[in-house]
């Protein structure tokens, strides 16, 4: 969009009309962000993620909302620009309307009339934002059964080991790790959705450039490209967080599978000895001896849960790091994602983290400038 001034007003207005649809797409993505907020199921170790995930969702909303408002403001700016290029007096295309209740009497809004010869521009593909269902983990029922059995034998294991399997194993695993997978899916959806909106915004610029040239056109192309980059970077940032959520969900599942197989066998053995060991002293010795035989399994389960705690702390670190998106993009990402750096998909998203996308993002509505007909 450089060189001598040239404009076909209908294309300028048509691009503006398209951005009204894009604003709706942005709002849909922003609403979808809240589906990742923790709800029921975040118990046990997972409870440590409630605060960070809620803050994270707030951060995404607060970061992207201003960008959405800039896209939403393009329609009026470009429509006014088209009318002005057409040489129409402002009194013709602007209308002051009184707001209906519950607005106060006398409150008004200025409405810009549609340009009558706007050329249609496609708003592109609509982001896919199907809300995933809330589900329980496939083996949740088995986990609950084993947990109930451990409650029965907790006293005898505590006597032998000095620690409570209920406190060390059952309670930390009380959460529904399927909710972590759901949250990860939502993050992927709205991250990819923002990328789609950014593409919908910037792809038509090449068509517009054939019908609008000069300094104002050049500044608009630069402005829109920077705005699109700021929206698009939400894709890789949110997918990286989604990845670590899926990883911790996988860790929960592995511990849960150990619990319902290997640990269950040990628990059943102890429970049987306790149930049949009713003879004083002799029965207690039998239960004690049984716990000693399977003590390594209980210790392994405890160690797995402790390892899971470390994984939760890594996830917290990632979520908290993204609260400073510029710092995260500038170098914290590779450092904080160290344990996952070789995973498939991580490298591509890390490479897409360009700090300039955030640093160069516009903060004000586009302004055509004092001389809309200036050369480029």
């Amino acid at each position: 969009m450089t060189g001598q001034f040239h404009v076909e007003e209908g294309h300028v207005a048509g691009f503006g009309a398209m951005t009204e649809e894009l604003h709706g797409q942005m709002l849909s993505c922003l609403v979808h962000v809240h589906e990742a907020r923790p709800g029921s199921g975040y118990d046990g170790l997972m409870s440590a993620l409630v605060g960070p995930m809620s803050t994270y969702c707030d951060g995404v909303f607060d970061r992207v909302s201003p960008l959405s408002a800039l896209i939403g403001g393009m329609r009026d700016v470009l429509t006014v620009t088209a009318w002005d290029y057409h040489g129409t007096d402002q009194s013709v295309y602007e209308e002051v309307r009184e707001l209906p209740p519950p607005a106060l009497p006398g409150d008004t809004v200025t409405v810009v009339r549609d340009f009558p010869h706007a050329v249609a521009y496609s708003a592109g593909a609509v982001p896919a934002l199907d809300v995933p269902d809330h589900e329980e983990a496939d083996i949740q029922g088995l986990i609950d059964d084993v947990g109930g059995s451990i409650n029965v034998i907790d006293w005898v294991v505590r006597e032998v080991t000095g620690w409570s399997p209920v406190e060390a194993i059952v309670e930390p695993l009380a959460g529904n790790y399927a909710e972590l997978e759901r949250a990860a899916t939502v993050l992927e959806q709205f991250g990819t959705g923002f990328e789609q909106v950014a593409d919908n915004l910037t792809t038509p610029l090449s068509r517009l450039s054939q019908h609008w040239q000069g300094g104002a056109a050049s500044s608009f192309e630069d402005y829109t490209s920077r705005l699109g980059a700021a929206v698009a970077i939400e894709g890789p940032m949110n997918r990286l967080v989604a990845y670590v959520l899926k990883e911790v969900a996988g860790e929960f599942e592995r511990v849960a599978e150990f619990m319902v197989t290997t640990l269950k066998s040990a628990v059943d053995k102890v429970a049987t000895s306790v149930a049949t060991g009713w003879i004083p002293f002799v029965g207690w010795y039998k239960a004690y001896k049984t716990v000693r035989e399977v003590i390594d399994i209980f210790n392994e389960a405890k160690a797995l849960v402790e390892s899971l705690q470390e994984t939760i702390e890594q996830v917290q670190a990632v979520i908290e790091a993204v609260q400073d998106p510029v710092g995260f993009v500038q170098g914290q990402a590779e450092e904080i994602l160290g344990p996952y750096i070789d995973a498939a998909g991580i490298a591509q998203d890390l490479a897409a983290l360009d700090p300039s996308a955030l640093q160069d993002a516009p903060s004000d509505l586009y302004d055509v400038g004092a001389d809309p007909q200036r050369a480029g």
Side-chain angles (χ1 to χ4, degrees), residues 94-300:
E94 284 190 352
E95 178 185 356
V96 178
R97 296 178 184 173
E98 187 167 341
L99 292 171
L104 296 174
D107 284 352
T108 61
V109 62
T110 299
V111 177
V112 178
R113 299 179 186 274
D114 291 336
F115 190 78
H117 307 297
V119 176
Y121 273 68
S122 171
V126 176
L129 301 171
D130 295 331
V131 178
D133 294 331
H134 291 277
E135 299 177 346
E136 281 198 344
D138 293 339
I139 59 175
Q140 190 63 51
L142 296 175
I143 295 172
D144 293 341
D145 289 343
V146 176
S149 298
I150 291 176
N151 270 288
V152 173
I153 65 166
D154 182 72
W155 64 274
V156 66
V157 177
R158 184 198 293 265
E159 287 292 329
V160 176
T161 64
W163 52 269
S164 164
V166 169
E167 295 175 0
I169 301 172
V170 177
E171 292 177 357
L173 296 177
N176 176 19
Y177 61 83
E179 283 297 305
L180 295 175
E181 296 173 336
R182 180 183 184 277
T185 298
V186 172
L187 293 182
E188 290 174 337
Q189 287 176 331
F190 69 67
T192 302
F194 286 135
E195 284 181 321
Q196 182 64 60
V197 176
D199 184 67
N200 293 345
L201 176 67
T202 56
T203 296
L205 286 173
S206 60
R207 179 187 179 195
L208 181 61
S209 68
Q210 301 172 37
H211 306 280
W212 187 22
Q213 289 112 36
S218 296
S219 68
F220 178 75
E221 181 175 43
D222 173 70
Y223 174 95
T224 305
S225 296
R226 288 186 290 114
L227 179 54
V231 174
I233 200 171
E234 292 297 326
M237 282 202 298
N238 284 290
R239 280 195 297 271
L240 288 170
V241 176
Y243 178 82
V244 297
L245 287 179
K246 285 186 174 181
E247 282 295 298
V248 74
E251 289 296 318
F252 267 100
E253 184 172 20
R254 283 187 280 276
V255 176
E257 287 175 348
F258 180 88
M259 185 175 175
V260 302
T261 54
T262 306
L263 182 60
K264 182 181 184 302
S265 298
V267 169
D268 289 347
K269 190 172 183 180
V270 175
T272 299
S273 69
V274 169
T276 58
W278 53 270
I279 304 174
F281 301 110
V282 174
W284 161 241
Y285 174 75
K286 181 180 179 182
Y288 173 88
K289 182 174 180 293
T290 303
V291 173
R292 297 299 304 175
E293 289 173 355
V294 297
I295 191 67
D296 288 345
I297 295 175
F298 280 92
N299 284 334
E300 185 177 355

Side-chain angles (χ1 to χ4, degrees), residues 3-45:
Q4 296 300 310
F5 172 73
H6 168 75
V7 67
E8 297 170 38
E9 301 94 336
H11 282 271
V12 176
F15 194 101
M18 175 200 70
T19 62
E20 197 166 22
E21 292 186 54
L22 298 187
H23 185 222
Q25 294 177 9
M26 283 290 289
L27 292 177
S28 295
C29 290
L30 282 170
V31 169
H32 198 64
V33 167
H34 297 295
E35 287 292 334
R37 289 184 180 279
S40 61
Y42 279 74
D43 304 308
L45 289 178

